[in-house]
Amino acid sequence: MTRWRLTIEFDGGPFMGWQRQDHGPSVQQTLEEAVERMVHERAVFTAAGRTDAGVHALAMTAHVDIERDLTPHRLREGLNALVRPQPISVLEVQEAPDDWHARFSCIQRRYLYRILNRRAPPALEAGKLWHVPVALDVEAMQEGASMLIGRHDFTTFRSVHCQSDSPVKTLDRLDVTRNGEEIHIQAAARSFLHHQVRSMVGCLGLVGRGQWRPEDMGKALEARDRASLGLNAPPHGLYFVEAVYP
Amino acid sequence: MTRWRLTIEFDGGPFMGWQRQDHGPSVQQTLEEAVERMVHERAVFTAAGRTDAGVHALAMTAHVDIERDLTPHRLREGLNALVRPQPISVLEVQEAPDDWHARFSCIQRRYLYRILNRRAPPALEAGKLWHVPVALDVEAMQEGASMLIGRHDFTTFRSVHCQSDSPVKTLDRLDVTRNGEEIHIQAAARSFLHHQVRSMVGCLGLVGRGQWRPEDMGKALEARDRASLGLNAPPHGLYFVEAVYP
């Protein structure tokens, strides 16, 4: 038995999310079916994070245990051939120690949220970013974002379906920058609550539009109440960028 | 009657190309049908360049004459609403003089060709770049590219369907650069022959793989013979980037 560590890119559009679901296709199920066809084993993939339906990954990290002897090259090439035409690509495969765990060994998760901030809708990247047609004030968004940095009770930014033991998390980074017509929001933390990034970005969108002042971000946080939440940004602008390990 | 100048982004994937075709959908037809539904006029769009099936545009320039009085804002918003769900987006609309012509007034066309140069296939940008899984030598490609700069007879890089009066063109720019996992080839000229960019990129791919030496680019050019051509790069890596006007 070998524990394999994989780095995986996927377009979240056709999936119900990373995790297996009864009601639709998932990235996990697609990969597990590919392994079953390849080596006739029912292996289970575990990822660093469970992404929502529609959320993309530039480089998700996952692990899987496989009995059959394989080389990293053969596992990657086999999976990439067998997941076609689904938009999943295994970028890297390496052997990992038996006690290495994609979820529990991870010390930081990094996300990118992409906003297309122009009047005209996206043509080339439809489904790959959040289209906000009114001009957003990036400085105000950055000022609002800075109020969430650090260790806080993030109940306001938590989904009712969140399974985390505690709403207290430490947000290491929440940066808002303009790149031409795009606004990029980069978030990093050891772990996030369910919907936390999309909830924070949704509120930053209100700040950018001038409907909230930057300090309203801090007030929403202090309220510790879902009713104080502005709105969730849509999933298709969100990318899982990196899982960091010691 | 007003002559409108439009800047248009499109995903070439679902289209037979810019130009109207009997055998499938085109960007031109989609826009002309949107105008007809909007103002009940059979207007004709003229673009700076005619792109092949599958070729994308970050910013194609076109013009169209419309009798009905419109504002630039209303024309853009109306077209963007009516072309849905086709991946076409009108980025900008402005009034142009009656004698301004998207094709004949254009003094330079700029293209970008994107190669994804890594082992794993693309997931997020499938259909948006050419996947070359073997490592390419960018320096050799740049050396080969430099041999095509200037005024030459480009018969070797010309499609048999090319309608240009002369095979002699002046290539202003052909730059090859690496951007992480991507290789970008930027080409600029007053005008190009049919398939010229894709033919040049296809040959540069052979140079990058080491199947051609850089100087074979110059030899292929001097041969003035289609039989000396390596191969055409696929259309889905090619982007019309900009039409330049005086």
Side-chain angles (χ1 to χ4, degrees):
Chain A
M1 196 281 294
T2 306
R3 175 153 294 192
W4 295 103
R5 168 179 171 167
L6 302 96
T7 309
I8 302 158
E9 175 186 319
F10 60 84
D11 177 345
F15 300 109
M16 300 306 302
W18 164 269
Q19 199 174 18
R20 248 184 203 271
Q21 303 282 345
D22 292 334
H23 56 293
S26 62
V27 180
Q28 186 189 355
Q29 183 182 349
T30 307
L31 287 164
E32 289 172 359
E33 287 174 358
V35 167
E36 192 166 356
R37 273 188 289 161
M38 192 174 164
V39 296
H40 310 288
E41 293 178 35
R42 295 203 168 219
V44 175
F45 278 77
T46 302
R50 302 173 180 180
T51 56
D52 291 335
V55 173
H56 313 295
L58 291 169
M60 175 61 80
T61 303
H63 76 255
V64 64
D65 296 333
I66 297 179
E67 296 288 339
R68 170 91 67 93
D69 267 349
L70 292 167
T71 63
H73 177 80
R74 176 149 153 55
L75 180 55
R76 184 183 61 183
E77 299 298 299
L79 289 177
N80 282 338
L82 289 162
V83 297
R84 298 291 98 185
Q86 293 301 324
I88 298 173
S89 182
V90 178
L91 306 181
E92 250 187 74
V93 172
Q94 55 190 110
E95 241 185 280
D98 289 354
D99 62 348
W100 186 87
H101 196 283
R103 184 170 163 210
F104 298 129
S105 305
C106 178
I107 55 167
Q108 193 184 55
R109 277 94 178 162
R110 294 182 185 165
Y111 284 92
L112 166 68
Y113 199 97
R114 293 174 65 193
I115 296 172
L116 179 65
N117 190 32
R118 70 176 190 196
R119 185 68 205 166
L124 274 157
E125 300 213 83
K128 298 293 195 314
L129 26 68
W130 181 23
H131 178 223
V132 177
V134 298
L136 297 175
D137 179 343
V138 170
E139 276 183 39
M141 292 168 75
Q142 180 55 56
E143 192 186 333
S146 68
M147 292 176 190
L148 303 189
I149 300 296
R151 184 176 162 86
H152 303 287
D153 179 334
F154 281 96
T155 295
T156 303
F157 302 95
R158 180 184 197 178
S159 155
V160 291
H161 302 293
C162 184
Q163 293 169 8
S164 179
D165 290 336
S166 161
V168 176
K169 297 286 175 190
T170 301
L171 184 62
D172 300 328
R173 183 182 184 195
L174 190 64
D175 281 339
V176 186
T177 50
R178 184 176 284 281
N179 296 264
E181 292 180 329
E182 285 192 34
I183 294 170
H184 289 177
I185 300 171
Q186 287 168 293
R190 184 176 189 100
S191 63
F192 289 94
L193 300 168
H194 189 212
H195 281 183
Q196 186 182 342
V197 180
R198 289 171 52 198
S199 297
M200 294 189 302
V201 171
C203 293
L204 289 175
L206 295 176
V207 173
R209 280 184 185 90
Q211 293 175 256
W212 277 24
R213 291 162 302 161
E215 54 268 33
D216 291 333
M217 289 296 290
K219 287 183 186 161
L221 178 71
E222 284 160 27
R224 295 190 203 105
D225 177 7
R226 284 293 291 175
S228 301
L229 181 64
L231 79 166
N232 272 0
H236 55 260
L238 185 59
Y239 294 74
F240 188 96
V241 171
E242 192 185 0
V244 180
Y245 297 90
Chain B
M1 197 281 294
T2 306
R3 175 154 293 191
W4 295 103
R5 169 179 171 166
L6 302 96
T7 310
I8 302 158
E9 175 186 320
F10 60 83
D11 177 345
F15 300 109
M16 301 305 303
W18 163 270
Q19 199 173 18
R20 251 184 201 270
Q21 303 282 345
D22 292 334
H23 55 292
S26 62
V27 180
Q28 185 189 354
Q29 182 182 349
T30 306
L31 287 164
E32 290 171 359
E33 287 174 359
V35 167
E36 192 166 357
R37 273 188 289 161
M38 192 174 164
V39 297
H40 310 289
E41 293 178 37
R42 295 202 168 220
V44 175
F45 279 76
T46 303
R50 302 172 180 180
T51 56
D52 290 335
V55 173
H56 312 295
L58 292 168
M60 176 60 81
T61 303
H63 77 255
V64 64
D65 296 333
I66 297 179
E67 295 288 340
R68 170 92 66 93
D69 267 349
L70 291 167
T71 63
H73 177 80
R74 175 148 154 57
L75 179 55
R76 184 183 62 184
E77 299 298 299
L79 289 177
N80 281 339
L82 289 163
V83 297
R84 297 293 96 182
Q86 292 301 324
I88 299 172
S89 183
V90 178
L91 305 181
E92 250 186 74
V93 172
Q94 54 189 110
E95 241 184 282
D98 289 354
D99 64 347
W100 185 87
H101 196 284
R103 184 169 164 210
F104 299 129
S105 305
C106 179
I107 55 167
Q108 193 183 55
R109 277 95 178 160
R110 295 183 184 163
Y111 284 92
L112 165 68
Y113 198 96
R114 292 174 65 193
I115 296 173
L116 180 65
N117 189 31
R118 70 176 190 197
R119 186 68 204 166
L124 274 157
E125 300 212 85
K128 299 294 195 313
L129 25 68
W130 182 23
H131 178 223
V132 177
V134 299
L136 297 176
D137 180 342
V138 170
E139 275 182 40
M141 292 169 76
Q142 181 56 55
E143 193 186 333
S146 68
M147 293 176 190
L148 303 189
I149 300 296
R151 184 176 162 85
H152 304 287
D153 179 334
F154 281 96
T155 295
T156 303
F157 302 95
R158 180 184 196 178
S159 156
V160 291
H161 302 293
C162 185
Q163 293 168 9
S164 180
D165 289 337
S166 162
V168 177
K169 297 287 176 190
T170 301
L171 183 63
D172 300 328
R173 183 182 184 196
L174 190 65
D175 280 340
V176 186
T177 50
R178 184 176 284 281
N179 296 264
E181 292 179 329
E182 286 191 34
I183 294 171
H184 289 177
I185 300 171
Q186 288 168 293
R190 183 174 190 102
S191 63
F192 289 93
L193 299 169
H194 190 213
H195 281 184
Q196 186 182 342
V197 180
R198 290 172 51 199
S199 297
M200 294 189 302
V201 171
C203 293
L204 289 175
L206 295 176
V207 173
R209 281 186 184 88
Q211 294 175 256
W212 277 25
R213 290 162 303 162
E215 53 268 35
D216 291 333
M217 289 297 290
K219 286 183 186 162
L221 178 70
E222 283 159 30
R224 295 191 201 104
D225 177 6
R226 286 290 293 174
S228 302
L229 180 64
L231 80 166
N232 270 2
H236 55 260
L238 184 58
Y239 295 74
F240 187 96
V241 171
E242 192 186 359
V244 180
Y245 297 91

